Amino acid sequence: SAPPVSEPSTMAIFEMLAQSLAPTACTTIEEVGSTGVGALTVAFLVLAITAIIFIARSSVPGPERPHIYICLYICGVAALGYFAMLSGQGWTAIAGCRQFFYARYFDWAVTNSLIVLNLGLIAGADSASIAATIGAEVVVVFATYMGSVAVVTTVKWFWFTFSLVALVFVLYSIARTFKDSAILRGGAIASLYGQLAALILICWIFYPVL
């Protein structure tokens, strides 16, 4: 009679499963070209110079000093993020062997939250509204990141939809909740907030397109 065939062990089964699910090693990675590197360089220089300007202005006393510090960190963190991408750091290869810059998501999580904070302080909104809007903005960035690294199409759409829901809350807070607080303060404050909020809304409302 034929000798009995030994069945694979549980460990061997798990090893074979892991190998089948492991991504194929990339021999060639689609990286940012010279034009992209040039754009990253320009962005880094502009943000770094702007941060230096805010550092110089931060020593001037006055009610606008907290806003200067916030703008300093917005530009400073963004400059660090662009420097990381420019120097070949803060990225990994994802499905399709594409270069994926995860550093920019850390940048967005910090800088976008600081933008919301600054708008809320200018408008004089209550701390609960500001905190809720910052939390929603962090969810937007996190869900966008998860959707970008997801491999399954349906999972990508789930994360994209989740980020849109959070984005709607952020936009509503800026366009209505914060604006109502700014109107109560009246005068130059309401005018300044209206201009800044309009700029942010125009930029962020096109997020789904990008």
Side-chain angles (χ1 to χ4, degrees):
S1 60
V5 179
S6 60
E7 296 183 358
S9 64
T10 304
M11 182 64 68
I13 293 175
F14 277 116
E15 288 180 355
M16 289 186 293
L17 180 61
Q19 291 175 1
S20 65
L21 294 177
T24 304
C26 295
T27 56
T28 303
I29 299 176
E30 182 182 346
E31 299 185 34
V32 174
S34 57
T35 302
V37 172
L40 291 174
T41 303
V42 172
F44 164 70
L45 292 175
V46 170
L47 289 167
I49 293 173
T50 306
I52 293 173
I53 293 174
F54 280 121
I55 290 175
R57 294 189 57 187
S58 63
S59 60
V60 179
E64 69 278 3
R65 194 174 185 182
H67 304 289
I68 292 176
Y69 275 117
I70 294 175
C71 292
L72 164 61
Y73 281 107
I74 291 172
C75 295
V77 171
L80 292 176
Y82 276 98
F83 179 75
M85 293 184 285
L86 174 63
S87 60
Q89 298 176 304
W91 70 272
T92 187
I94 60 174
C97 295
R98 293 183 295 109
Q99 190 176 28
F100 175 74
F101 287 103
Y102 57 81
R104 63 179 178 176
Y105 291 89
F106 171 79
D107 168 12
W108 291 342
V110 175
T111 57
N112 287 5
S113 298
L114 289 176
I115 290 173
V116 171
L117 173 62
N118 207 20
L119 288 176
L121 292 177
I122 292 174
D126 61 277
S127 57
S129 297
I130 295 175
T133 308
I134 290 176
E137 179 56 37
V138 172
V139 170
V140 172
V141 177
F142 176 75
T144 304
Y145 168 81
M146 294 303 295
S148 298
V149 298
V151 177
V152 181
T153 302
T154 53
V155 175
K156 280 182 175 290
W157 278 107
F158 169 82
W159 285 115
F160 179 68
T161 303
F162 204 69
S163 67
L164 283 183
V165 172
L167 178 63
V168 168
F169 179 82
V170 173
L171 296 179
Y172 178 84
S173 295
I174 295 174
R176 179 59 64 88
T177 307
F178 289 4
K179 183 180 179 180
D180 290 344
S181 299
I183 291 175
L184 291 177
R185 300 186 69 181
I189 296 296
S191 176
L192 174 62
Y193 177 82
Q195 295 173 11
L196 294 176
L199 178 61
I200 297 301
L201 288 172
I202 291 173
C203 293
W204 287 2
I205 205 169
F206 287 104
Y207 155 76
V209 179
L210 299 177

